[in-house]
Amino acid sequence: MAVTIKSAREIELMKDAGKILGEVHNRLAEQIVPGMSTKDIDVIGDKLIRSYQCIPSFLHYNGYPASICVSVNEEVVHGIPKKSRILQDGDIVSLDAGVIYKGYHSDAARTVAVGTITPETEKLIEVTRQSFFEGIKMAVAGNHLYDISNAIDAYVSTFGYGIVRELVGHGIGTHLHEDPQIPNFAQKRRGLRLEAGMTLAVEPMINMGRADVEFLDDDWTVVAADGLPSAHYENTILITEGEPVILSLV
């Protein structure tokens, strides 16, 4: 699949999809409290997405059984919601969600505190979030794709955290995952030249300890191998001649 350049009409639809997803994330985060199950989060998220006349991007995608990926503590991504998994005060939970609006996808993730968390975990969440913004400073037409990767790595590495290498960002549009792949770690090559009209999902996944991950037997959940917390932050962005537009942040 070639990297797609979106038309003016497509960009407007991508903006609408992104705005909806940003609102879904904001409303979902407000409802995260100790004592709820990860399945509760999925049910709430699914209803929110459908309340905007959208379809959840993730439900049944390659067999994934839920609308929201809910990953707790050492779970990096793709955690499957369960009635038996109850959130505790001090947990962190990564919420990865996507919507389809009039045939166009938006994809975004947030890591949210459950009750009161430790300063160390709060710092991990903030560094992960800021690494996204450091990366997209380079997301300008004329720059190269891996300028984004290198900027994320340069920032995160100063904190000694592990950058997950097995999972990367991606292009997005009429498909949830399009070319190109966008690593969050430094690259020796420059990658393709960025062009106005490209839409990308940039998503640092950062472990408090080592970068190593393991895949659980459910074939979905990815966890930090050392059992330390992991955070995830993602937005869908639009490349322009100037600063990128963050479509899924409201």
Side-chain angles (χ1 to χ4, degrees), residues 2-3 8 10 13 16 24 28 35 42 57-58 74 84 92 95 105 111 117 125 133 136 146 162 170 208 222 224 244:
V3 179
E10 289 179 307
L13 290 170
D16 290 341
V24 166
L28 188 56
D42 180 55
S57 296
F58 296 172
E74 77 282 359
S84 59
I92 61 171
L95 309 172
H105 291 262
T111 299
I117 62 175
I125 293 173
F133 289 97
I136 69 164
Y146 296 152
H170 51 91
M208 184 179 285
V222 181

Side-chain angles (χ1 to χ4, degrees), residues 49-93:
I49 290 169
R50 295 182 191 280
S51 75
Y52 289 93
Q53 285 70 57
C54 289
I55 299 168
S57 296
F58 296 172
L59 185 61
H60 307 313
Y61 182 80
N62 289 340
Y64 186 76
S67 296
I68 312 291
C69 294
V70 187
S71 307
V72 183
N73 296 334
E74 77 282 359
E75 295 174 351
V76 180
V77 284
H78 304 159
I80 297 175
K82 298 181 179 69
K83 290 181 180 178
S84 59
R85 186 67 186 271
I86 306 300
L87 298 182
Q88 308 293 327
D89 185 75
D91 286 343
I92 61 171
V93 58

Side-chain angles (χ1 to χ4, degrees), residues 3 13-14 19 47 52 76 91 105 130 151 160 223 226 232:
V3 179
L13 290 170
M14 293 286 294
K19 182 174 185 291
K47 287 180 179 177
Y52 289 93
V76 180
D91 286 343
H105 291 262
Q130 186 59 34
V223 301
D226 58 12
H232 185 193

Side-chain angles (χ1 to χ4, degrees), residues 174-194:
T174 54
H175 295 80
L176 177 59
H177 293 107
E178 297 183 356
D179 288 336
Q181 293 193 344
I182 311 167
N184 299 302
F185 48 94
Q187 303 292 303
K188 293 181 180 178
R189 298 179 180 177
R190 300 190 73 189
L192 61 84
R193 188 179 293 275
L194 298 174

Side-chain angles (χ1 to χ4, degrees), residues 34-238:
M36 71 191 309
S37 72
T38 55
K39 180 63 176 176
D40 292 334
I41 296 172
D42 180 55
V43 170
I44 294 167
D46 183 87
K47 287 180 179 177
L48 283 171
I49 290 169
R50 295 182 191 280
S51 75
Y52 289 93
Q53 285 70 57
C54 289
I55 299 168
S57 296
F58 296 172
L59 185 61
H60 307 313
Y61 182 80
N62 289 340
Y64 186 76
S67 296
I68 312 291
C69 294
V70 187
S71 307
V72 183
N73 296 334
E74 77 282 359
E75 295 174 351
V76 180
V77 284
H78 304 159
I80 297 175
K82 298 181 179 69
K83 290 181 180 178
S84 59
R85 186 67 186 271
I86 306 300
L87 298 182
Q88 308 293 327
D89 185 75
D91 286 343
I92 61 171
V93 58
S94 295
L95 309 172
D96 193 357
V99 303
I100 309 170
Y101 176 75
K102 296 185 178 179
Y104 286 82
H105 291 262
S106 186
D107 189 4
R110 309 281 186 265
T111 299
V112 179
V114 182
T116 304
I117 62 175
T118 66
E120 293 80 9
T121 312
E122 196 168 333
K123 180 181 176 183
L124 173 68
I125 293 173
E126 178 52 35
V127 168
T128 302
R129 179 182 181 277
Q130 186 59 34
S131 73
F132 164 86
F133 289 97
E134 295 298 322
I136 69 164
K137 288 177 182 177
M138 306 306 294
V140 177
N143 281 358
H144 288 260
L145 182 69
Y146 296 152
D147 294 337
I148 300 172
S149 308
N150 295 342
I152 292 171
D153 190 307
Y155 178 75
V156 172
S157 294
T158 64
F159 297 92
Y161 295 145
I163 302 171
V164 173
R165 303 175 82 88
E166 285 82 354
L167 301 141
V168 297
H170 51 91
I172 187 169
T174 54
H175 295 80
L176 177 59
H177 293 107
E178 297 183 356
D179 288 336
Q181 293 193 344
I182 311 167
N184 299 302
F185 48 94
Q187 303 292 303
K188 293 181 180 178
R189 298 179 180 177
R190 300 190 73 189
L192 61 84
R193 188 179 293 275
L194 298 174
E195 297 181 43
M198 290 180 176
T199 45
L200 308 173
V202 178
E203 52 175 323
M205 289 156 273
I206 310 300
N207 294 346
M208 184 179 285
R210 301 198 320 271
D212 312 52
V213 298
E214 297 174 352
F215 291 76
L216 298 188
D217 290 342
D218 63 15
D219 291 332
W220 281 105
T221 310
V222 181
V223 301
D226 58 12
L228 294 177
S230 183
H232 185 193
Y233 189 82
E234 174 187 19
N235 281 301
T236 299
I237 68 168
L238 168 69

